[in-house]
């Protein structure tokens, strides 16, 4: 209700007029060396506090990727450097009292560049004689198979069984290469950070971030100061979708404040968000799928080439999901293999985006599944039905985990019923130059990162019998503050308004890895349940003492503790008061949760389209989605998460397309050029839940955040093929590409 009323404060709402405005001078070249830089004219502009270049900042390699330490992403950037690696890379920082003064100063900085030949085609990047990161101090904290002198950020893969031998024995084999382009997260609030020094000389960073604790570490390393000198506060966030899992803006005002002692803020323009942040990784996925004469899958072989851009943020981690969370949909398989290369290019750095690599891999595999069905003359959904992964079978492609809750068969059945698959498949000519067709896809994701992600919460009994829940998880519009409060209220048998949730402050909040990898409900929720149980035991012990009875006979109904032996009782309010008088303990508890497994949610999505045979234009008529996210904690929030993810997936499939000129300049640098879906592009979206009970999850829950974006691209590709016979293996699937494909078929 507070959000609906416009009450929550965002980062910029918390700043005052005395904050310096910080902006970056950005490179006009895709690859260049700075020969000289003259800032004397800029420094003379009235109101300018400082101008910083690579000569003025620490020379410490770091990564902006917000991942658990030690980070998998390589340390391959400085705050500012004498080499720029993409159009938009930071060249200098200017801080001043007004935006007008800063903009004027930026124009007066004179830079002499030695322009270098860029590498823009990621297919040609590996072992290219042009080396994007030749530096000696390039460092990988983990063995991710990177080699900067080969333009390799990372490699990945696994092998289970003899793939070549099994494929050779298959009756049916299909092979295809599928290309997904970079996409911008297009969140409403841009990157916003303010910084100041407190009374003790500590750097206070207030930022719209998904990763407060990682930001603290990243800023401390980049500035060369102890983490104890950095405090990070996360206010309300206006969306992230993974973009704010990277510390895109934080280090720049931080270095200005640290050097000048003055408060600063940096707000990215929409153009800067587009050209100088991070996008989804462009990937080219080659997949081979083999089946026996009955349609049973025998082997899957998948290779991914991923473009991390100029820097390696999330490059080593994103690529793995393209294989692990696509192949694992099916089985058991006789053999499977996944290999991957992640390469540097002179384009904007890629990073995290909802789906995190699984989206690209699932587009490839689910398209190939339809191609296999067509080759066999089998209903595409029938092929899936007989191959869906089952419970209690070790899955080699998913790190050997065994799934304990798989509702995918029911999801597929439900989605087919919702759309009327049997009546509409594959297509119907409407007789007016248009064809209606259906297409579908399956998807899976994960629930946090197994053996890595960790979350803690603290719960305090307050005056009046209310509770304060301190969390380190980041609500960015996902509703996690509400969901975690609901869990606590359920455990404590009280009304939701008795739980006050407090946002993230790294000085106060318990540690949480952050809001990413679909982890909050599963991981932080697990911490909430453990903490509630611990606090209930402490409260019961105090109640037993006050009632002078055995703790074994104490019961709690949410408002009072009572003895089952007699009529003694004490209200929660009185217990709270008693806990503050002459005590050596406190009614507070804190527990942490991590999991050795990452139980996947599942989804079936089926779309009905209408295709204009004259123009190739596609209209989304109906989208039916059935989701297994375990037991939904809040069905309304889960539903809107699903609807939003489907819309983003439709945008990726049909409209969104980051393009570069031959000189490396991005052509889609505003919403005038970068098309995202509007309400009229969505069609009808319907969502149902096929609940399972995940025994390792809180109240049986799994994740919901990322799975929902993964089915639209392959479902739409499959529907387009059913409508006109054109198989598109590259996104976005524009009307022009469809029509050109139809013309080619006619020839």
């Amino acid at each position: 209700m507070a959000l609906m009323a416009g009450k929550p404060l965002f980062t910029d709402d918390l700043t005052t007029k005395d904050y310096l405005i910080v902006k970056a001078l950005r490179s006009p070249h895709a690859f260049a060396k700075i020969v000289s830089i003259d800032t004397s004219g800029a420094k003379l502009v009235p109101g300018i506090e400082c101008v910083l270049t690579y000569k003025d900042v620490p020379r410490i390699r770091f990564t902006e990727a917000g991942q658990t330490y030690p980070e998998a992403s390589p340390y391959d950037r400085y705050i500012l450097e004498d080499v720029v690696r993409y159009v938009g890379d930071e060249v200098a920082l200017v801080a001043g009292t007004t935006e007008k003064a800063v903009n004027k100063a930026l124009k007066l900085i004179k830079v002499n560049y030695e322009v270098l030949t860029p590498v823009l085609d990621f297919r040609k990047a590996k072992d290219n004689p042009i080396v994007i990161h030749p530096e000696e101090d390039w460092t990988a904290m983990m063995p991710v198979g990177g080699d900067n002198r080969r333009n390799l950020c990372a490699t990945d893969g696994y092998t289970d069984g003899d793939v070549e031998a099994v494929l050779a024995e298959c009756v049916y084999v299909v092979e295809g290469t599928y290309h997904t382009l970079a996409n911008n997260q297009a969140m409403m609030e841009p990157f916003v950070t303010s910084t100041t020094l407190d009374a003790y000389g500590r750097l206070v960073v207030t930022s719209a971030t998904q990763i407060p604790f990682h930001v603290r570490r990243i800023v401390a390393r980049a500035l060369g100061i102890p983490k104890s000198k950095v405090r990070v506060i996360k206010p309300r966030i206006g969306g992230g979708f993974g973009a704010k899992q990277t510390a895109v803006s934080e280090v720049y005002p931080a270095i200005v404040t640290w050097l000048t002692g003055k408060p600063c803020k940096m707000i990215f323009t929409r153009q800067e968000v587009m050209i100088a942040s991070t996008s989804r990784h462009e990937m080219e996925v080659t997949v081979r799928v083999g089946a026996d004469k009955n349609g049973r899958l025998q082997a899957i072989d998948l290779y991914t080439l991923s473009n991390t851009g100029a820097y390696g943020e999330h490059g080593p981690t994103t690529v793995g999901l393209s294989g692990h969370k696509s192949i694992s949909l099916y089985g058991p398989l006789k053999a499977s293999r996944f290999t991957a290369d992640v390469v540097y290019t002179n384009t904007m750095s890629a990073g995290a985006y909802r789906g995190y690599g699984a989206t690209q891999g699932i587009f490839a595999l689910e398209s190939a599944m339809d191609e296999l069905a067509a080759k066999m003359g089998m209903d595409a959904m029938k092929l899936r039905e007989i191959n869906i992964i089952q419970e209690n079978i070790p899955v080699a492609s998913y790190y050997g985990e065994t799934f304990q809750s798989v509702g995918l068969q029911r999801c597929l059945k439900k989605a087919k019923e919702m759309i009327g698959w049997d009546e509409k498949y594959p297509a119907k000519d409407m007789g007016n130059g248009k064809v209606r067709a259906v297409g579908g896809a399956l998807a899976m994701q994960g629930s946090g990162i197994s053996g890595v992600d960790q979350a803690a919460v603290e719960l305090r009994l307050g005056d009046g019998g209310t509770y304060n829940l301190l969390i380190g998880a980041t609500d960015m519009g996902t509703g996690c503050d509400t969901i975690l409060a609901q869990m606590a209220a359920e455990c404590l048998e009280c009304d939701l308004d008795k739980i006050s949730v407090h946002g993230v402050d790294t000085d106060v909040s318990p540690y949480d890895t952050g809001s990413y990898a679909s982890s909050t409900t599963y991981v932080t929720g697990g911490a909430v349940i453990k903490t509630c149980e611990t606090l209930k035991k402490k409260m019961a012990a105090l109640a037993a003492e006050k009632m002078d009875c055995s703790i074994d006979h104490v019961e709690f109904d949410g408002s009072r503790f009572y003895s089952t032996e007699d009529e003694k009782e004490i209200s929660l309010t009185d217990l709270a008061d008693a806990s503050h008088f002459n005590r050596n303990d406190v009614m507070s508890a804190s527990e942490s949760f991590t999991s050795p497994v990452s139980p996947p949610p599942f989804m079936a999505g089926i779309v009905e389209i209408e295709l204009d045979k004259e123009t190739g234009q596609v209209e989304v008529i109906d989208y039916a989605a059935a989701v297994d996210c375990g037991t939904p904690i809040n069905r309304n929030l889960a539903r809107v998460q699903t609807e939003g993810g489907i819309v983003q997936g439709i945008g990726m499939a049909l409209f969104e397309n980051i393009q570069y000129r031959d000189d490396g300049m991005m052509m889609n640098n505003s919403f005038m050029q970068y098309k995202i879906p509007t309400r009229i592009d969505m069609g009808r979206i319907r969502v149902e839940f096929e609940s399972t009970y995940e025994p390792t999850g809180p109240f049986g829950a799994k994740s919901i955040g990322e799975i929902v974006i993964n089915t639209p691209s392959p479902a739409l590709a499959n529907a387009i093929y059913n409508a006109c016979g054109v198989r598109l293996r590259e996104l976005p699937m524009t009307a022009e590409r469809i029509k050109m494909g139809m013309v080619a078929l006619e020839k």
Side-chain angles (χ1 to χ4, degrees):
M1 289 301 297
L3 184 63
M4 293 293 290
K7 293 181 179 179
L9 297 177
F10 295 78
T11 300
D12 193 37
D13 297 325
L14 300 173
T15 61
T16 58
K17 290 183 178 180
D18 63 337
Y19 277 66
L20 297 176
I21 306 296
V22 177
K23 287 182 175 289
L25 177 68
R26 302 194 176 277
S27 169
H29 304 294
F31 197 21
K33 183 173 179 60
I34 298 173
V35 177
S36 64
I37 183 166
D38 181 1
T39 62
S40 57
K43 292 176 179 178
L44 295 176
V45 175
I48 294 303
E49 182 67 30
C50 76
V51 181
L52 302 179
T53 70
Y54 67 91
K55 301 174 184 178
D56 307 305
V57 299
R59 292 181 59 82
I60 301 171
R61 293 283 177 194
F62 69 100
T63 177
E64 292 180 350
Q67 297 165 306
T68 299
Y69 184 84
E71 304 96 335
S73 299
Y75 291 171
D76 57 7
R77 64 161 72 231
Y78 295 146
I79 298 175
L80 297 171
E81 193 170 354
D82 62 350
V83 176
V84 288
R85 296 182 172 87
Y86 71 98
V87 176
D89 209 349
E90 290 80 13
V91 174
L93 298 174
V94 177
T97 54
T98 66
E99 187 171 3
K100 183 178 180 180
V102 171
N103 287 335
K104 183 176 181 180
L106 286 171
K107 295 177 182 178
L108 295 175
I109 298 175
K110 297 178 181 178
V111 186
N112 182 21
Y113 296 97
E114 178 190 347
V115 179
L116 307 173
T117 302
V119 179
L120 299 175
D121 186 344
F122 75 132
R123 299 177 185 89
K124 300 177 181 178
K126 182 179 175 181
D127 294 323
N128 195 298
I130 300 170
V131 180
I132 297 169
H133 281 277
E135 61 267 19
E136 295 292 336
D137 56 351
W138 184 96
T139 304
M141 297 292 288
M142 297 181 68
V144 294
D147 185 342
N148 57 307
R149 294 190 176 277
R150 299 180 61 198
N151 288 336
L152 267 180
C153 174
T155 57
D156 198 0
Y158 80 93
T159 300
D160 180 58
D162 190 335
V163 170
E164 298 298 338
V166 174
L167 284 173
E169 295 173 355
C170 290
V171 179
Y172 298 100
V173 177
V174 296
E175 179 176 355
T177 298
Y178 305 85
H179 184 202
T180 62
L181 277 71
N183 306 121
N184 192 280
Q185 298 88 345
M187 63 285 183
M188 285 190 291
E189 181 193 29
F191 300 97
V192 185
T193 300
S194 66
T195 52
T196 187
L197 295 181
D198 66 14
Y200 304 99
R202 298 176 70 227
L203 181 65
V204 181
V205 180
T206 303
S207 190
T209 178
Q210 298 172 221
I211 47 163
F213 286 93
H214 296 328
V215 164
R216 179 178 64 178
R217 182 184 68 251
I218 291 166
V219 169
R221 176 175 175 82
L223 271 61
I225 62 177
K227 285 192 291 185
S228 60
K229 289 286 188 180
V230 183
R231 174 187 182 188
V232 178
I233 298 171
K234 188 278 307 178
R236 187 71 196 182
I237 298 178
F241 307 116
K244 295 172 183 175
Q245 194 194 333
T246 304
V248 170
S249 60
E250 285 83 358
V251 297
Y252 303 112
I255 187 64
V256 176
T257 292
W258 190 252
L259 294 177
T260 66
K262 296 188 176 183
C264 298
K265 69 176 178 180
M266 187 175 195
I267 302 175
F268 274 44
T269 64
R270 182 57 59 179
Q271 184 183 49
E272 287 180 304
V273 171
M274 292 291 195
I275 70 166
S277 59
T278 62
S279 65
R280 185 186 294 283
H281 286 76
E282 177 187 18
M283 292 188 187
E284 190 172 76
V285 182
T286 300
V287 59
R288 292 188 293 166
V289 182
D292 64 18
K293 64 179 181 179
N294 298 314
R296 290 291 310 182
L297 296 187
Q298 304 297 302
I300 299 176
D301 185 24
L302 193 147
Y303 168 74
T304 300
L305 177 64
S306 178
N307 181 7
T308 193
Y311 300 99
E313 278 84 16
H314 301 278
T317 48
T318 302
V319 74
L321 276 67
S322 69
H324 296 296
K325 294 185 178 175
S326 57
I327 298 172
S328 306
L329 278 165
Y330 300 108
L333 301 169
K334 287 185 178 180
S336 63
R337 179 171 60 195
F338 166 60
T339 52
D341 291 316
V342 184
V343 295
Y344 286 110
T345 63
N346 293 112
T347 58
M348 183 179 74
S349 179
Y353 186 1
R354 191 180 204 165
Y356 203 78
T359 316
Q360 296 94 310
I362 287 171
F363 168 63
L365 181 57
E366 285 300 278
S367 296
M369 286 295 288
D370 261 50
E371 293 193 48
L372 179 62
K375 190 171 187 177
M376 298 179 64
M378 179 184 288
D379 183 305
M381 290 307 170
K382 179 64 177 177
L383 178 64
R384 289 174 171 84
E385 287 171 0
I386 63 177
N387 285 291
I388 286 172
I389 193 68
Q390 303 296 314
E391 294 177 356
N392 302 317
I393 297 174
V395 183
S397 54
Y398 200 75
Y399 318 104
E401 288 187 23
T402 299
F403 303 154
Q404 300 185 67
S405 56
V406 181
L408 191 51
Q409 287 280 8
R410 287 190 283 119
C411 288
L412 180 51
K413 181 180 178 182
K414 173 63 74 173
K416 287 175 63 177
E417 291 173 354
M418 293 167 67
I419 208 76
W421 178 268
D422 292 336
E423 297 78 33
K424 297 176 179 178
Y425 177 77
K428 180 181 179 182
D429 195 312
M430 304 304 290
N432 59 353
K434 297 183 179 181
V435 179
R436 288 203 175 187
V438 291
L442 306 182
M444 61 175 284
Q445 197 75 35
S447 301
I449 305 174
S450 58
V452 174
D453 280 354
Q454 175 183 333
V457 302
E458 183 179 353
L459 186 64
R460 301 172 183 170
L461 175 64
D463 292 341
T466 59
Y467 301 95
N468 294 315
L469 181 62
L470 280 69
I471 65 173
T474 304
D475 194 328
M476 52 177 168
T478 53
C480 78
D481 287 359
T482 301
I483 289 170
L484 297 175
Q486 282 184 279
M487 291 184 187
E490 183 76 13
C491 292
L492 298 167
E493 301 181 62
C494 67
D495 293 335
L496 188 62
D497 59 9
K498 296 287 186 181
I499 311 290
S500 297
V501 181
H502 297 269
V504 188
D505 180 337
T506 57
D507 270 12
V508 178
S509 304
Y511 181 82
D512 193 296
T513 46
S515 291
Y516 60 90
S518 303
S519 62
T520 305
T521 296
Y522 181 77
V523 179
T524 311
V528 168
I529 290 177
K530 288 177 65 177
T531 303
C532 288
E533 293 305 312
T534 300
L535 181 60
K536 284 166 67 175
K537 290 177 182 178
K538 294 182 72 172
M539 294 191 299
L542 177 58
E545 177 186 325
K546 294 301 178 183
M547 294 187 295
D548 192 22
C549 69
S550 170
I551 192 173
D552 295 332
H553 300 121
V554 173
E555 295 289 338
F556 179 51
D557 65 6
S559 61
R560 66 189 175 104
F561 289 88
Y562 59 92
S563 171
T564 56
E565 285 188 314
D566 48 43
E567 296 182 354
K568 293 178 181 177
E569 67 175 52
I570 181 171
S571 71
L572 184 62
T573 300
D574 290 341
L575 187 79
D577 292 339
S579 71
H580 298 152
F581 181 75
N582 194 30
R583 303 296 305 171
N584 284 320
D585 60 357
V586 294
M587 290 300 103
S588 174
S590 182
E591 296 285 353
S592 182
F593 179 83
T594 187
S595 176
V597 296
S598 176
F602 297 94
M603 177 179 176
I606 301 180
V607 66
E608 181 179 8
I609 66 167
E610 186 169 86
L611 186 145
D612 189 321
K613 292 189 289 184
E614 184 68 26
T615 64
Q617 186 67 40
V618 170
E619 180 183 353
V620 177
I621 303 298
D622 193 5
Y623 203 103
V627 185
D628 162 24
C629 59
T631 302
I633 300 298
N634 184 313
R635 296 182 78 89
N636 287 336
L637 285 173
R639 186 177 305 281
V640 297
Q641 282 266 53
T642 306
E643 292 170 349
I646 290 170
V647 172
Q648 284 183 307
I650 291 171
M652 175 181 177
L654 299 180
F655 308 115
E656 300 180 40
N657 184 8
I658 290 179
Q659 297 171 295
Y660 290 90
R661 298 187 325 206
D662 291 342
D663 62 357
M665 178 75 72
M666 187 185 295
M667 294 189 287
N668 319 81
N669 59 11
S670 77
F671 286 138
M672 293 296 290
Q673 293 86 20
Y674 187 82
K675 169 70 173 172
I676 61 174
T678 67
R679 182 64 189 89
I680 61 175
D681 299 312
M682 300 177 191
R684 182 187 184 196
I685 297 175
R686 294 178 291 149
V687 178
E688 296 291 343
F689 296 100
E690 288 295 325
S691 300
T692 57
Y693 186 86
E694 171 52 47
T696 67
F699 299 106
K702 297 186 287 189
S703 75
I704 188 69
E706 293 180 280
I707 177 72
V708 292
I709 199 173
N710 292 337
T711 60
S713 290
L716 282 161
N718 295 334
I720 290 167
Y721 174 81
N722 290 336
C724 64
V726 175
R727 171 57 64 183
L728 293 179
R729 297 188 177 95
E730 183 176 66
L731 302 182
M733 297 175 288
T734 60
E736 291 84 355
R737 285 178 174 168
I738 295 169
K739 183 60 180 177
M740 288 172 66
M742 293 170 67
V743 170
L745 285 178
E746 292 171 0
K747 293 180 180 179

